[in-house]
Amino acid sequence: QVQLVESGGGLVQPGGSLRLSCAASGFTFNNFAMNWLRQAPGKGLEWVSTINAGGSITNYADDVKGRFTISRDNAKNTLYLQMNRLSPEDTAVYYCAKWDPGIYQNWPRGQGTQVTVSS
């Protein structure tokens, strides 16, 4: 079965950086687009970024474009999210999600990693 384990979250000051990782198993990683989602306190699940199976095409939500970079290492079955110039509005639980047909809220995802941006 699909297993996704995120790591790398934590507390960071505004303007700082974090790099999230997601270890994937239970499926053929390099056959699927992968995604990052996030859920801020009191808000719904939000799509952040997508990378295609080969790693050559990426997409970002408008509010993270230019600050976040999604990447993947198919040899290591690992997905990454480099987050720069973080702001308090980026505070959320971040989830790694495997692309599936249908709406993103139903994509298989991990347990999440907490990112808190605060001074």
Side-chain angles (χ1 to χ4, degrees):
Q1 70 279 18
V2 173
Q3 283 198 309
L4 300 164
V5 180
E6 302 92 340
S7 61
L11 174 64
V12 62
Q13 291 189 339
S17 299
L18 279 176
R19 188 195 197 202
L20 306 183
S21 298
C22 171
S25 61
F27 64 103
T28 305
F29 183 72
N30 59 9
N31 282 357
F32 292 91
M34 293 296 295
N35 311 272
W36 287 99
L37 310 174
R38 68 183 180 184
Q39 187 163 22
K43 296 188 177 180
L45 192 65
E46 175 189 20
W47 170 78
V48 175
S49 184
T50 296
I51 187 167
N52 72 332
S56 60
I57 301 173
T58 58
N59 284 296
Y60 299 92
D62 285 345
D63 56 351
V64 306
K65 200 173 295 184
R67 299 188 298 121
F68 290 11
T69 303
I70 190 171
S71 62
R72 64 192 294 163
D73 185 337
N74 285 344
K76 295 182 179 180
N77 286 1
T78 303
L79 178 72
Y80 303 100
L81 186 68
Q82 178 66 44
M83 306 186 295
N84 298 329
R85 291 184 280 134
L86 285 160
S87 72
E89 290 70 34
D90 296 315
T91 295
V93 178
Y94 284 72
Y95 299 93
C96 164
K98 170 187 170 290
W99 182 87
D100 252 15
I103 59 173
Y104 69 83
Q105 290 89 345
N106 292 339
W107 291 343
R109 59 184 186 262
Q111 83 290 346
T113 187
Q114 175 71 48
V115 171
T116 302
V117 185
S118 175
S119 55

